[in-house]
Amino acid sequence: MYLCIDMEKKLVIIPTYKERENAEKIIRAVFSLEEGFDILIIDDNSPDGTADIVKALIPEYEGHLYIKERSGKLGLGTAYIEGFKWALANGYDYIFEMDADFSHDPADLPRLLQACHEGADVSIGSRYCKGVNVVNWPLGRVLMSYGASRYVRIVLGMRVNDSTAGFVCYRRKVLEAIDLDRISMKGYGFQIEMKYKAYRLGFKIKEVSVIFRDRTEGKSKMSSGIFGEAFWGVLKLRFKSI
């Protein structure tokens, strides 16, 4: 039985699509941490039975593991927006984004939380704040990702080294201040848009250096279209009111 007596409420949101190989392992890894994180899985109708694996674990982690099942692939951004709204409605103080495929190490979650305890409003698990900390990515993908963050810094003037990072902790007040219904980008551009909105609203953003490891099981969801949306979306953000 999983027990948590910490008065702070902390939720890790993990979107899934065809993550059968990773679902149980990532859930157990997060629940093995002493800080007492809850988990919300948002599954986009995975055809491989990912949701069934999660639901089978709910009795073991009753009151700490939740799942929202959606009708299909509706986009990473919309998954997180649903998760954010659910977290706010259920009284969470710290809300985390994390991938299911172990590219984000669950052992780094306490470090993101600590950064917020020390004064950050948004903490980012950053691949690029201390060099390039990426393992098992082809060079072309590293250059595309790093170049995207440099592009964002130039266009938006936001001093964040890893603006496309998907390993993030938000204080509750940040998500309350952002108009979540006005977030327009659906893919990885969503990550840029959320950080930029927080930056424009005056919240303190801190990057925590992490090592990003490419997935070892399952199939990557990355595509050139995802970066295309981000490229044009950033230009729009530059002239868009918050």
Side-chain angles (χ1 to χ4, degrees):
M1 178 65 70
Y2 173 79
L3 296 176
C4 174
I5 58 174
D6 192 338
M7 295 303 292
E8 288 181 345
K9 295 189 69 176
K10 303 171 285 289
L11 182 71
V12 180
I13 303 171
I14 306 177
T16 57
Y17 181 74
K18 295 199 291 188
E19 292 290 356
R20 180 181 183 87
E21 298 92 344
N22 296 307
E24 180 172 352
K25 288 184 284 187
I26 196 71
I27 287 168
R28 293 196 183 280
V30 172
F31 283 140
S32 72
L33 301 171
E34 295 180 356
E35 284 74 12
F37 298 95
D38 291 352
I39 298 175
L40 173 64
I41 300 290
I42 302 182
D43 186 72
D44 275 3
N45 196 27
S46 296
D48 65 350
T50 298
D52 292 333
I53 292 171
V54 175
K55 287 186 285 188
L57 292 171
I58 287 177
E60 181 176 350
Y61 300 109
E62 185 175 359
H64 299 284
L65 174 61
Y66 306 92
I67 185 169
K68 289 179 70 71
E69 296 180 80
R70 307 203 301 171
S71 60
K73 292 187 70 175
L74 304 176
L76 182 74
T78 64
Y80 276 126
I81 293 297
E82 279 199 42
F84 292 159
K85 290 180 176 180
W86 189 92
L88 293 176
N90 286 277
Y92 284 92
D93 303 295
Y94 298 93
I95 300 94
F96 297 76
E97 300 178 4
M98 191 175 76
D99 290 348
D101 60 9
F102 285 92
S103 55
H104 303 143
D105 187 347
D108 287 325
L109 285 167
R111 298 175 61 223
L112 297 185
L113 178 63
Q114 184 62 30
C116 285
H117 282 166
E118 292 174 353
D121 299 308
V122 181
S123 60
I124 301 169
S126 175
R127 297 163 289 187
Y128 307 130
C129 66
K130 293 183 179 179
V132 178
N133 293 329
V134 177
V135 177
N136 293 333
W137 261 14
L139 180 60
R141 187 169 173 189
V142 174
L143 293 174
M144 183 181 292
S145 174
Y146 182 77
S149 286
R150 293 292 299 171
Y151 167 72
V152 170
R153 282 176 65 111
I154 293 169
V155 174
L156 298 182
M158 180 172 63
R159 298 187 65 80
V160 172
N161 293 290
D162 194 356
S163 56
T164 63
F167 196 20
V168 186
C169 174
Y170 292 97
R171 284 180 178 269
R172 176 186 182 88
K173 64 181 181 181
V174 178
L175 298 183
E176 289 177 328
I178 294 173
D179 186 347
L180 297 174
D181 291 326
R182 292 188 64 194
I183 299 295
S184 59
M185 287 193 267
K186 309 300 182 187
Y188 281 82
F190 161 83
Q191 303 292 2
I192 300 168
E193 188 171 1
M194 285 293 299
K195 295 175 184 67
Y196 185 58
K197 292 289 181 74
Y199 166 76
R200 287 285 305 276
L201 288 166
F203 290 109
K204 182 178 179 180
I205 300 174
K206 180 177 181 179
E207 292 184 86
V208 177
S209 181
V210 301
I211 296 175
F212 182 97
R213 293 178 173 84
D214 200 12
R215 65 165 60 238
T216 57
E217 296 186 88
K219 185 177 180 182
S220 174
K221 317 301 191 299
M222 187 64 67
S223 71
S224 59
I226 286 173
F227 279 98
E229 179 208 39
F231 179 87
W232 295 111
V234 166
L235 289 176
K236 293 177 182 177
L237 278 178
R238 180 66 180 81
F239 303 102
K240 184 178 178 181
S241 65
I242 60 171

